[in-house]
Amino acid sequence: MRYYARKLAFYLVAFWAAVTLNFFIPRLMPGNPVDILMAKLAQRGGTVDPAARRAYELLLGSGSDESLLSQYFAYLGTMFRGDLGVSVSSFPTPVSEIIADALPWTLVLVGIATFLSFALGVVLGTLVGWRRGTWLDSLVPATTVLAAVPYFWLALILVALLASGLGWFPLLGGYDVVLSPGWDLEFLGSAVYHGTLPALTIVLSSVGGWLLGMRNMMVSTTSEDYVLTAKAKGLRDSRIMIRYAARNAVLPSVAGFAISLGFVVAGSIITEQVFSYPGIGSKLLQAVQNNDYALMQGIFLVITVAVLGANLVVDLLYAVIDPRTRVSG
C-alpha cells in the first residue's frame, strides 16, 4: 500500500509542476502576448472589447494589475472548470471544443497504430530472440532500416507508391468530404479507409524499435538460470518461451509502451501534416503558426495529463506483473 501511495503522491506533484510550467511559460515570452492576440482578433473581424482583453489577461497574465499569485489561482480555477480560453486561429471557437473535435481522430489513428506496432514488435522480437541465428534474424536489419528512414520521407514514399501511383488509398483527409461525421457505417468505413495509410506509416517506422528491444532482452533472458532449469525439466519449448523467457523479457518494453501511450494524444505531427489528417498534431502546428497561446496551452495540458496518467497506470500494473518492484520501490 505504501508503494502505491508514494507513486500517487509523486504523480500528483508532477502534475502540479506541469500545470505551473504551463502557466508561467507564456508569461516568460518576450513582448505582450495579449496585444498579439488582440491584433489577430481584429484582423479576423473579432470585437476587441475590454471583456475580451480581460479574459486573455486572466489566461496569459500579461498587462494585468493583479499579482502573479492571484493570476495563478485564477488560472487554476478556470482550468479546473474546463475553461481553456478561446482560440485565436479558430475564433471564436473555445479551445476545449477544438481539442474535443480533434482528439478522437488522433486517439483512434495513433492509438491503434501504436498498439499494433508494439504487439507486432514484441511477438516478432520474441520469436527472433528465441530462435537467434536462424533466417528470422534477417527481420532485424530490415525493420531497423525502416525505422532509420526519416519519418516524413517514409510517409511521402507511401503516398507516392500506394496512393498516387497505385490508387489504393486516398491522398489526404480523414474521411470523404461528401459525408457528414457520424456513427453510420458509411462514415466509419470512410474514416478507416482514409486512416489506413497514415497508420501503416506509423507502424512501419516504429515496429523496428520494439522488435530490436524485445529480441535483445530475449537473448539475455534465455541464458538465465530459471530458463535453463525449465529446459532441464523437459518442458515444452513454447511454454518456456512464453511463460518463462518472454514474460520477463517484455517488462522493459511495457514501460516504454506506457510512455508511447501517453504521447498518443500528442498525435503524429508529421504524419498528420503529410496526410492532412484532422488530428491534434495538426491543431498544435496550427496553433504554433498562429501564435495561438490559448490553444497551445490547452493541448500541452492534455498531453501532460495523458502522459502522467498512462505512466501511473503502467507503474501500478508493473507492480502486479513484477512484485519485486514493490519491494525495491
Side-chain angles (χ1 to χ4, degrees):
M1 185 61 67
R2 291 178 58 189
Y3 170 83
Y4 296 112
R6 286 197 300 268
K7 285 294 181 182
L8 184 59
F10 169 79
Y11 281 104
L12 287 175
V13 172
F15 173 73
W16 168 79
V19 169
T20 303
L21 286 175
N22 203 29
F23 169 79
F24 280 107
I25 286 176
R27 293 157 177 80
L28 298 177
M29 293 180 176
N32 191 334
V34 175
D35 291 337
I36 297 175
L37 293 175
M38 293 299 101
K40 288 185 175 294
L41 285 177
Q43 292 173 1
R44 289 167 171 78
T47 302
V48 185
D49 55 20
R53 184 176 185 86
R54 177 60 177 166
Y56 277 107
E57 286 178 351
L58 289 175
L59 178 65
L60 299 177
S62 179
S64 176
D65 294 332
E66 296 181 358
S67 67
L68 197 60
L69 185 61
S70 299
Q71 297 171 29
Y72 177 67
F73 284 113
Y75 164 77
L76 292 180
T78 57
M79 182 194 68
F80 283 113
R81 289 197 303 270
D83 182 7
L84 302 178
V86 177
S87 170
V88 174
S89 54
S90 301
F91 182 83
T93 308
V95 169
S96 55
E97 185 176 325
I98 295 176
I99 294 176
D101 289 340
L103 193 56
W105 292 96
T106 293
L107 289 177
V108 173
L109 172 67
V110 186
I112 293 177
T114 300
F115 177 78
L116 288 177
S117 61
F118 170 76
L120 187 60
V122 166
V123 171
L124 292 178
T126 300
L127 294 175
V128 173
W130 183 255
R131 302 182 182 278
R132 62 186 184 278
T134 65
W135 65 271
L136 290 172
D137 272 335
S138 61
L139 292 175
V140 176
T143 55
T144 304
V145 168
L146 289 175
V149 174
Y151 203 69
F152 70 93
W153 188 245
L154 179 60
L156 291 174
I157 290 175
L158 292 180
V159 167
L161 292 178
L162 303 181
S164 180
L166 298 175
W168 291 352
F169 300 101
L171 286 170
L172 48 85
Y175 58 93
D176 196 333
V177 293
V178 301
L179 300 176
S180 298
W183 293 104
D184 55 282
L185 291 178
E186 187 178 7
F187 174 78
L188 293 176
S190 176
V192 170
Y193 180 50
H194 281 72
T196 300
L197 194 56
L200 181 62
T201 304
I202 298 173
V203 171
L204 289 179
S205 63
S206 56
V207 69
W210 298 116
L211 189 154
L212 183 61
M214 187 64 184
R215 186 260 181 196
N216 292 340
M217 286 302 302
M218 280 293 294
V219 171
S220 175
T221 304
T222 51
S223 62
E224 295 290 341
D225 292 340
Y226 56 85
V227 175
L228 298 177
T229 302
K231 290 181 179 180
K233 289 181 178 180
L235 299 179
R236 297 192 309 272
D237 281 352
S238 59
R239 182 180 179 183
I240 298 173
M241 180 180 68
I242 297 173
R243 297 288 300 275
Y244 290 84
R247 183 178 179 181
N248 290 278
V250 79
L251 292 178
S253 295
V254 170
F257 183 57
I259 299 175
S260 299
L261 280 182
F263 280 103
V264 161
V265 299
S268 179
I269 296 178
I270 297 177
T271 300
E272 293 180 13
Q273 185 70 7
V274 170
F275 294 98
S276 297
Y277 197 79
I280 205 75
S282 60
K283 296 299 181 184
L284 179 57
L285 182 61
Q286 173 186 328
V288 173
Q289 292 173 339
N290 291 280
N291 292 325
D292 193 342
Y293 300 123
L295 184 54
M296 280 190 283
Q297 277 189 303
I299 293 176
F300 289 151
L301 180 63
V302 171
I303 294 173
T304 299
V305 172
V307 172
L308 292 177
N311 278 273
L312 173 61
V313 170
V314 174
D315 263 353
L316 299 180
L317 291 177
Y318 205 98
V320 175
I321 297 172
D322 187 2
R324 293 172 299 177
T325 58
R326 294 200 298 267
V327 177
S328 60

